[in-house]
Amino acid sequence: MEFWAGHGEWFCAQEWARLIGEQGRHTEALQILAVYLDTGWWTAVRTTAELLETWGRADEAIGLARARMEVGHPQALEFCARLLARHGHRDEALTLLLPHIDDWFLAAAVVDVAEGTGRDDEVAGLLAARIPADHRCDTPWCCPGLDADAAIGFLATIRERQGCLGEAVALLRTRDSTAVNGRDQLADLLARHDRIGELYDYAETEHLGYAVQRLAELLEERGDVEGAITVYRKACDTSVRRGNATVQLAHLMARHGRGDEAIEVVRTLADQPGGAEDWILHLFCTLCTDQGRPEDGLAYLDTLKERRGEEEWDPFWIRLPLMAACDRVDEAIAQVRAHPEDGTSYAAPHIAELLAGAGRIEEAVAALRPHASTNSHELAAYLIDLDRIDDAVAVLQQATARPPKPSAAAWSANPPF
């Protein structure tokens, strides 16, 4: 690693700097990163600042981040502000961020950094001013800057932090949906404060199923597995995302030693019209394998193939681990070789996994070689298993992007068209 760290391999340089830094060799670590840092590349700046912070040199880290912020790098302001906040400069960090509260990402940082400054009401006022009484965006592109729904969510976070739970709940109920990235802010708030009755009521009406998920998680955390199962079963019948509720139910059952029931739950979903989607089949067959029932998974796929009259690659590759679990690796490979999509870059990793699972790693490498450009990480991992480190590095070098060359141009938020 040391050799490659000094010969233009960023990830090696990054890891080597971290390792020697842990040994107290800070000057050497910084020398390793300097060649990248001198380009002004933000990733190198951030990495160096983070290392300085872990070494107890926060002032230097702040200085480095501040210098990049002052030349206008779009990510440097948030990073620098959060760094300042972590090291006793919350007021300064908040003052830096407040003029940019109309930027969604920076608004999130404002809310976080404001905690403990005594300036929550100031931030809340700015957010409230961005919530029009007579308009809600119906698309993410409706209004520029911080949209009303995001402002409501951030304001609710502050009110919750201030102990004004009723106001926070009321704010969130003004939104059509409080779900972001698979979580629901209102459901999480109700769960945090043990308002389980309200969470039950909300789960009845929240049509995406995220409130159901949070309620079931809360019940499971309390040891009420049967209650969680009941919540999911009801959602399987009523939610617009019944497939998600069924999958969550199956995982819950499997976690609690009820794998056979989980298999039947997923089988029932797959048997419904349009239910045998690839991700559902994959879960079903994985459960069959985990429960020592790979033959049942294969039988189901065979029935599905007869019904459909064909088997495209996605359902086909799902059967390969099942065949391997039945000690039929050679037969599985033969079937792959006969499949119309054998020889494609997306088929190669599945073939390699079969071979490697049977201890035939050299053959796995051979299967991936023709598709090294699209499967470089998989190929490199097998080469490392064979202790062929230089070959693995050579494979990864072909796919590794280089840091950009230094540019004298100023950063701009305007698109180049």
Side-chain angles (χ1 to χ4, degrees):
M1 183 185 296
E2 181 179 7
F3 174 82
W4 293 110
H7 287 76
E9 291 298 326
W10 162 248
F11 292 109
C12 291
Q14 183 182 37
E15 184 63 10
W16 186 246
R18 185 188 66 81
L19 288 172
I20 65 175
E22 289 176 352
Q23 299 169 12
R25 298 157 58 188
H26 298 167
T27 301
E28 293 175 63
L30 293 175
Q31 288 172 346
I32 290 290
L33 297 175
V35 64
Y36 302 94
L37 191 61
D38 289 345
T39 69
W41 187 35
W42 171 246
T43 301
V45 174
R46 179 170 185 148
T47 297
T48 306
E50 288 170 343
L51 283 176
L52 287 166
E53 183 184 17
T54 63
W55 299 339
R57 296 163 62 174
D59 288 345
E60 292 176 66
I62 290 169
L64 187 61
R66 192 191 297 276
R68 204 70 191 97
M69 178 188 72
E70 289 173 351
V71 298
H73 192 283
Q75 297 176 44
L77 173 57
E78 181 193 7
F79 179 82
C80 185
R82 290 187 182 277
L83 185 57
L84 284 164
R86 286 197 296 273
H87 294 279
H89 304 286
R90 282 186 175 271
D91 268 317
E92 182 182 355
L94 188 56
T95 299
L96 283 172
L97 288 168
L98 280 178
H100 307 278
I101 198 169
D102 281 320
D103 181 300
W104 191 97
F105 292 101
L106 295 178
V110 166
V111 173
D112 292 342
V113 167
E115 185 172 8
T117 62
R119 298 170 66 182
D120 271 348
D121 283 335
E122 177 187 354
V123 175
L126 292 171
L127 291 169
R130 286 157 174 77
I131 306 172
D134 56 353
H135 176 70
R136 288 291 182 273
C137 296
D138 55 3
T139 74
W141 307 277
C142 177
C143 295
L146 185 67
D147 65 273
D149 277 357
I152 289 170
F154 291 137
L155 180 55
T157 296
I158 291 177
R159 294 308 186 211
E160 179 188 3
R161 192 159 72 206
Q162 294 176 316
C164 304
L165 299 183
E167 186 178 345
V169 170
L171 278 165
L172 292 173
R173 289 193 185 280
T174 66
R175 292 175 54 176
D176 291 334
S177 173
T178 52
V180 178
N181 296 330
R183 303 300 300 184
D184 186 281
Q185 186 177 355
L186 177 55
D188 286 339
L189 184 154
L190 295 172
R192 274 194 300 274
H193 297 280
D194 202 30
R195 299 172 72 148
I196 193 166
E198 291 174 75
L199 184 52
Y200 265 104
D201 292 341
Y202 183 45
E204 293 277 352
T205 59
E206 195 275 305
H207 66 283
L208 294 176
Y210 298 125
V212 165
Q213 179 182 348
R214 188 64 191 97
L215 175 58
E217 289 170 351
L218 181 61
L219 292 169
E220 184 184 8
E221 290 162 9
R222 294 178 167 189
D224 185 5
V225 175
E226 286 300 332
I229 288 173
T230 299
V231 166
Y232 274 137
R233 283 195 186 278
K234 185 173 183 181
C236 291
D237 297 330
T238 60
S239 173
V240 296
R241 298 169 69 248
R242 65 182 184 183
N244 296 67
T246 302
V247 167
Q248 289 158 354
L249 172 59
H251 284 305
L252 172 65
M253 289 175 161
R255 281 197 300 274
H256 293 277
R258 298 167 65 167
D260 289 334
E261 291 179 73
I263 288 172
E264 293 312 310
V265 162
V266 180
R267 186 200 298 269
T268 299
L269 174 63
D271 283 339
Q272 294 175 4
E277 297 182 55
D278 297 337
W279 65 292
I280 299 298
L281 293 175
H282 185 248
L283 173 60
F284 174 75
C285 292
T286 298
L287 288 168
C288 286
T289 302
D290 291 345
Q291 296 302 310
R293 295 169 51 183
E295 298 89 349
D296 291 345
L298 287 170
Y300 190 86
L301 292 177
D302 288 341
T303 300
L304 190 65
K305 181 180 178 181
E306 290 176 9
R307 190 163 70 236
R308 291 176 171 177
E310 60 179 356
E311 190 169 52
E312 296 180 351
W313 178 256
D314 281 333
F316 174 77
W317 76 258
I318 292 171
R319 72 169 54 244
L320 301 179
L322 295 169
M323 296 181 73
C326 296
D327 295 323
R328 295 165 55 185
V329 173
D330 287 331
E331 182 183 348
I333 292 171
Q335 288 192 18
V336 173
R337 297 305 186 198
H339 195 278
E341 291 173 79
D342 173 47
T344 60
S345 61
Y346 52 82
H350 298 293
I351 300 170
E353 186 176 358
L354 275 175
L355 292 163
R360 296 155 63 177
I361 300 178
E362 290 281 7
E363 293 177 66
V365 167
L368 287 169
R369 275 291 186 195
H371 312 283
S373 61
T374 51
N375 295 289
S376 58
H377 287 83
E378 292 88 344
L379 176 55
Y382 291 129
L383 288 167
I384 291 170
D385 289 341
L386 294 170
D387 202 28
R388 294 165 56 182
I389 308 302
D390 287 343
D391 289 345
V393 170
V395 166
L396 293 174
Q397 279 182 317
Q398 296 172 6
T400 300
R402 302 286 180 177
K405 294 181 179 179
S407 173
W411 286 93
S412 172
N414 297 320
F417 47 78

